[in-house]
C-alpha cells in the first residue's frame, strides 16, 4: 500500500512539473491580478470617476487639490491637478461645470497616469505593446496613428516614436487612450471623447 501511495505522489509531482514547464515554455505571461483601485476603464481609475466634481474628489481623497492655473487672472474654463492615488501619480483634467447658474465648480473630464501599477481589467499596462491593446479591444471602435509633433513655430510633423491608440465603445461618450513611445505603452488616459 505504501508503494502505491508513493507511486501516485511521484506521478502527481511529475505532472505538476510538466504543466509548469509547459506554461513557462509557451511564452505567455501570466496576467497579474489588478486591484480595483489600480484598474483603468473608460470611466476612470478606481474610484476616480469621470464626471465627479472637484469638491467630491477633495472629500474622497481627504485633501485640497492644487490646481495649476488657480492663480491665473481671468476666467479659467479648464485646469489640471496631480494627486497620489493608490500608490500612483495621477494627472486630473478638469473643466468648468456647465450650469444655468454662475458657478466656479470644476468637473473631472479626464485623467492619466504613467504608473506601471495601473492596468486595464485584462492586465494591459505601461510597457505592453500595440498588439496587446488591439487583441484586447478587437470588438471596440479604435482610432490610432502617430502623434503630431511641433517641428518649429509653424510646422507640425508626424512623430516617428510617439503613437496613440484611442479605444471607444458603442456609446462613443468616453474612451481609454494608450500613448506609446518606441512601440511600448508609456501612459494611459481615460476621458470624455472629444468631438471633431
Amino acid at each position: 500500500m505504501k508503494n502505491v501511495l508513493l507511486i501516485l505522489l511521484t506521478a502527481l509531482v511529475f505532472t505538476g512539473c510538466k504543466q509548469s514547464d509547459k506554461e513557462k515554455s509557451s511564452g505567455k505571461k501570466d496576467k497579474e491580478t489588478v486591484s480595483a483601485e489600480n484598474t483603468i476603464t473608460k470611466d476612470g481609475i478606481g474610484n476616480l470617476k469621470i464626471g465627479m466634481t472637484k469638491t467630491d474628489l477633495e472629500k474622497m481623497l481627504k485633501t485640497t487639490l492644487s490646481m495649476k492655473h488657480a492663480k491665473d487672472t481671468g476666467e479659467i474654463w479648464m485646469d489640471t491637478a496631480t494627486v497620489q492615488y493608490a500608490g500612483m501619480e495621477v494627472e486630473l483634467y478638469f473643466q468648468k461645470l456647465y450650469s444655468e447658474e454662475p458657478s466656479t465648480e470644476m468637473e473631472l473630464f479626464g485623467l492619466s497616469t504613467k504608473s506601471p501599477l495601473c492596468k486595464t481589467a485584462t492586465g494591459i499596462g505601461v510597457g505592453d505593446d500595440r498588439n496587446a491593446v488591439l487583441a484586447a479591444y478587437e470588438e471596440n471602435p479604435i482610432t490610432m496613428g502617430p502623434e503630431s509633433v511641433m517641428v518649429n513655430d509653424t510646422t507640425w510633423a508626424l512623430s516617428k516614436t510617439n503613437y496613440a491608440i484611442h479605444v471607444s465603445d458603442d456609446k462613443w461618450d468616453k474612451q481609454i487612450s494608450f500613448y506609446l513611445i518606441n512601440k511600448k505603452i508609456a501612459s494611459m488616459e481615460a476621458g470624455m471623447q472629444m468631438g471633431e
Side-chain angles (χ1 to χ4, degrees):
M1 186 65 160
K2 285 182 184 177
N3 289 340
V4 172
L5 286 175
L6 185 58
I7 291 171
L8 283 173
L9 183 59
T10 305
L12 285 173
V13 169
F14 282 127
T15 303
C17 290
K18 229 177 182 181
Q19 181 65 29
S20 177
D21 288 344
K22 268 187 189 175
E23 289 171 2
K24 286 179 186 174
S25 66
S26 70
K28 293 181 182 177
K29 72 176 187 178
D30 293 331
K31 293 294 181 187
E32 300 168 18
T33 304
V34 184
S35 76
E37 285 188 322
N38 296 90
T39 302
I40 187 169
T41 68
K42 69 179 183 84
D43 296 314
I45 297 174
N47 292 324
L48 303 175
K49 300 295 185 190
I50 306 301
M52 292 179 80
T53 64
K54 177 179 175 275
T55 303
D56 291 339
L57 282 164
E58 288 176 331
K59 284 179 190 173
M60 184 186 81
L61 297 170
K62 296 180 178 142
T63 188
T64 300
L65 296 176
S66 177
M67 305 299 275
K68 290 187 179 169
H69 299 289
K71 294 181 182 177
D72 290 355
T73 58
E75 194 165 7
I76 303 297
W77 284 92
M78 300 177 113
D79 210 338
T80 61
T82 303
V83 297
Q84 287 295 319
Y85 173 75
M88 305 176 293
E89 184 173 274
V90 178
E91 187 81 13
L92 305 175
Y93 307 114
F94 290 94
Q95 66 185 2
K96 193 170 185 181
L97 186 63
Y98 294 99
S99 65
E100 290 183 21
E101 298 297 319
S103 172
T104 58
E105 186 65 81
M106 301 290 270
E107 178 182 42
L108 186 67
F109 76 90
L111 42 84
S112 69
T113 186
K114 296 177 182 178
S115 174
L117 296 175
C118 188
K119 308 262 187 208
T120 65
T122 59
I124 297 170
V126 169
D128 285 324
D129 63 15
R130 177 175 69 172
N131 291 340
V133 175
L134 298 179
Y137 294 101
E138 64 185 351
E139 301 297 321
N140 295 75
I142 294 175
T143 57
M144 61 186 193
E147 292 190 74
S148 294
V149 291
M150 190 174 220
V151 177
N152 56 44
D153 290 343
T154 59
T155 309
W156 290 79
L158 295 178
S159 174
K160 295 187 184 328
T161 58
N162 296 8
Y163 198 85
I165 303 171
H166 306 286
V167 180
S168 303
D169 63 11
D170 59 350
K171 293 180 188 155
W172 291 88
D173 59 346
K174 298 174 192 160
Q175 67 184 10
I176 298 177
S177 298
F178 300 89
Y179 296 97
L180 291 77
I181 298 176
N182 295 322
K183 301 183 180 183
K184 298 289 183 186
I185 297 172
S187 67
M188 297 182 295
E189 177 181 284
M192 299 299 291
Q193 183 155 342
M194 298 299 169
E196 294 289 324

